[in-house]
């Protein structure tokens, strides 16, 4: 596996590449260009500048997260073909500068939902939490709450310029059910796969977060059956998965260990977001509330060693990164993306992997 670390760019971060390269085991950056409007082509000069910036620090940039999908593609409007052509050109431009994997999602309107971005744990650390009773019925209320509580950072998937037209977005999704959304995903993938094969770039879809419907919107990448459908519907290794362990585990019925093992064996997991979550009501499996915990098993509800072993024993050799760290030691920044706790996550992941290597 290749250990990576998500970085939003020097204009969007307090964290520096000099700090990241000091984390033992981190070889690569998972990059993005936050200011490119969804649907537009990522310019070559911007990509080249980002790659040069990363490589000048002795790191690689092989993974991009995310080249987001325009809503017209997800909804299936006539304008989608133009946006798909733009996406194909972006793939070509990224490949020219060494990108091998693109993490994306096909979620309706919102990329993810949490009830609080600054939940305080008993040890004084701050984290993200999902409590269903705290999710307002009106998504605009949640958007306003996020806008006021992000420490001045733009949140991926909650870009203010796109969500300024929230009512319109809900209107265009009104007639899109799960079947229609699946059809539109297949249409998109079939259109771009020849470009991916030509450029040797793998697409890796991120599971829905949470993996069930919110605000009446359809969700189609929720569980093992959906992932199996995805792989069969467009059956090429270039159509793969970003296996976000936390997102899959947000549905307690999902067996994250067997999902990791199966789809890694099948060669369809290209990228892993390795994290733990802690259910708030473990005695009630119908209650799916959780917070994002420290990575080690004892702090969450999932066995991290078992997850890593599922990957290791199945021959996983893709990219991996720690996900959604807490804010610790007085750090402030983009919620879920502080330096210190994610660095601890890297150390933990590397330690587990080394032990699995040496004991196998």
């Amino acid at each position: 596996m290749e250990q990576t670390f998500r970085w939003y760019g020097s204009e969007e971060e307090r964290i520096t590449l000099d700090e990241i390269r000091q984390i033992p085991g981190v070889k690569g950056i998972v990059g993005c260009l936050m200011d490119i409007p969804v649907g537009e082509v990522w310019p070559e000069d911007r990509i080249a500048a980002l790659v040069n910036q990363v490589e000048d620090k002795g790191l690689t940039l092989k993974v991009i997260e995310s080249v987001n999908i325009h809503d017209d593609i997800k909804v299936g409007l006539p304008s989608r073909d133009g946006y798909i052509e733009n996406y194909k050109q972006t793939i070509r431009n990224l490949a020219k500068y060494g990108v091998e994997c693109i993490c994306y999602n096909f979620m309706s309107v919102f990329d993810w939902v949490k009830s609080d971005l600054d939940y305080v744990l008993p040890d004084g650390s701050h984290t993200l939490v999902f409590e269903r009773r705290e999710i307002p019925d009106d998504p605009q209320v949640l958007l306003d709450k996020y806008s006021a509580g992000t420490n001045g950072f733009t949140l991926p998937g909650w870009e203010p310029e796109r969500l300024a037209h929230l009512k319109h977005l809900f209107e265009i999704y009104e007639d899109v059910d799960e079947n229609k959304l699946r059809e539109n995903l297949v249409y998109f993938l079939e259109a771009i796969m020849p470009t991916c094969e030509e450029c040797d770039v793998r697409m890796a879809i991120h599971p829905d977060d949470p993996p069930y419907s919110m605000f009446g919107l359809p969700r189609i990448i929720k569980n093992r059956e959906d992932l199996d459908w995805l792989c069969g519907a467009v059956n090429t290794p270039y159509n793969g998965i970003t296996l976000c362990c936390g997102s899959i585990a947000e549905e307690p019925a999902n067996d994250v260990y067997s999902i990791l093992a199966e789809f890694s064996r099948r060669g369809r997991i290209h990228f892993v977001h390795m994290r733990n979550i802690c259910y708030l009501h473990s005695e009630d499996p119908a209650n799916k509330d959780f917070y994002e915990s420290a990575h080690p098993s004892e702090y969450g509800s999932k066995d991290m060693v078992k997850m890593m072993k599922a990957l290791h024993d199945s021959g996983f050799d893709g990219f991996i990164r720690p996900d959604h760290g807490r804010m610790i030691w007085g750090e402030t920044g983009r919620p879920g993306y502080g330096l210190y706790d994610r660095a601890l996550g890297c150390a933990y992941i590397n330690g587990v992997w080394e032990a699995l290597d040496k004991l196998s």
Side-chain angles (χ1 to χ4, degrees):
M1 69 161 188
E2 185 167 329
Q3 177 80 269
T4 60
F5 199 88
R6 191 173 192 185
W7 186 64
Y8 288 89
S10 55
E11 300 300 315
E12 297 280 348
E13 283 275 19
R14 293 175 188 166
I15 300 166
T16 68
L17 291 172
D18 281 322
E19 291 170 325
I20 294 170
R21 70 176 182 168
Q22 293 175 24
I23 304 170
V26 172
K27 300 175 182 176
I29 291 296
V30 176
C32 63
L33 294 174
M34 288 281 287
D35 61 323
I36 306 295
V38 176
E40 290 191 10
V41 176
W42 286 26
E44 274 197 48
D45 61 331
R46 293 290 309 283
I47 296 168
L50 178 61
V51 170
N52 290 337
Q53 190 178 20
V54 170
E55 292 183 346
D56 283 349
K57 298 299 183 180
L59 298 163
T60 63
L61 183 66
K62 298 178 184 178
V63 185
I64 290 292
E65 182 183 341
S66 306
V67 183
N68 288 330
I69 313 296
H70 198 279
D71 288 291
D72 289 13
I73 297 174
K74 296 178 185 179
V75 173
L77 298 182
S79 53
R80 66 180 170 179
D81 290 331
Y83 288 116
I84 289 173
E85 288 305 312
N86 286 354
Y87 206 99
K88 289 159 69 174
Q89 188 57 48
T90 295
I91 292 171
R92 295 186 191 102
N93 292 351
L94 289 168
K96 184 174 180 179
Y97 293 92
V99 170
E100 300 175 6
C101 179
I102 296 173
C103 170
Y104 73 105
N105 73 76
F106 218 73
M107 299 182 222
S108 308
V109 184
F110 306 117
D111 283 12
W112 50 270
V113 177
K114 299 290 184 292
S115 58
D116 190 350
L117 308 180
D118 195 35
Y119 184 76
V120 183
L121 296 175
D123 64 4
S125 60
H126 296 242
T127 193
L128 309 179
V129 69
F130 178 94
E131 293 183 279
R132 187 66 185 88
R133 69 176 184 275
E134 299 296 331
I135 304 291
D137 294 332
D138 182 356
Q140 184 64 51
V141 175
L142 195 61
L143 176 60
D144 293 342
K145 180 179 179 180
Y146 285 178
S147 299
T150 62
N151 297 317
F153 292 99
T154 298
L155 298 175
W158 288 79
E159 296 82 3
E161 68 278 359
R162 184 176 72 90
L163 295 181
H165 310 287
L166 193 58
K167 182 179 178 182
H168 171 68
L169 284 172
F170 270 83
E171 288 172 351
I172 65 173
Y173 277 94
E174 201 167 62
D175 296 323
V176 179
D177 59 11
E178 288 192 357
N179 288 334
K180 185 64 176 175
L181 194 61
R182 285 191 184 96
E183 290 175 11
N184 294 339
L185 174 55
V186 170
Y187 184 95
F188 167 71
L189 289 172
E190 287 181 339
I192 68 167
M193 279 300 115
T195 304
C196 292
E197 292 170 1
E198 164 200 331
C199 297
D200 198 23
V201 171
R202 286 164 168 74
M203 297 296 293
I205 196 166
H206 190 290
D208 299 326
D209 184 2
Y212 42 84
S213 178
M214 297 292 299
F215 306 114
L217 296 167
R219 296 293 212 192
I220 58 172
I221 307 295
K222 311 177 298 300
N223 50 41
R224 185 261 164 203
E225 289 71 28
D226 289 345
L227 294 172
D228 184 55
W229 164 81
L230 172 83
C231 294
V234 183
N235 192 11
T236 163
Y238 289 90
N239 170 34
I241 301 161
T242 294
L243 207 296
C244 179
C245 300
S247 294
I248 286 292
E250 287 165 19
E251 169 51 73
N254 285 337
D255 185 343
V256 64
Y257 313 109
S258 65
I259 289 171
L260 283 163
E262 176 185 350
F263 291 95
S264 182
R265 281 196 306 269
R266 291 169 64 172
R268 300 305 274 271
I269 298 178
H270 303 320
F271 187 26
V272 172
H273 291 178
M274 183 57 65
R275 64 181 168 105
N276 209 343
I277 64 171
C278 184
Y279 301 128
L280 286 167
H281 305 281
S282 57
E283 72 284 354
D284 179 8
N287 190 316
K288 302 172 185 179
D289 293 350
F290 67 93
Y291 64 81
E292 302 195 344
S293 66
H295 283 74
S297 302
E298 67 178 291
Y299 294 98
S301 297
K302 295 300 171 184
D303 185 330
M304 292 284 285
V305 174
K306 190 174 178 180
M307 286 197 284
M308 296 289 292
K309 192 172 190 301
L311 287 172
H312 185 276
D313 292 356
S314 303
F316 175 73
D317 62 356
F319 303 98
I320 193 168
R321 71 167 176 83
D323 202 14
H324 294 192
R326 302 161 300 141
M327 289 296 178
I328 63 174
W329 303 336
E331 184 180 21
T332 59
R334 180 178 281 105
Y337 287 96
L339 171 65
Y340 305 136
D341 200 40
R342 286 190 296 153
L344 293 176
C346 285
Y348 181 77
I349 289 166
N350 284 332
V352 172
W353 195 264
E354 180 181 355
L356 291 169
D357 267 344
K358 291 182 174 178
L359 295 173
S360 61

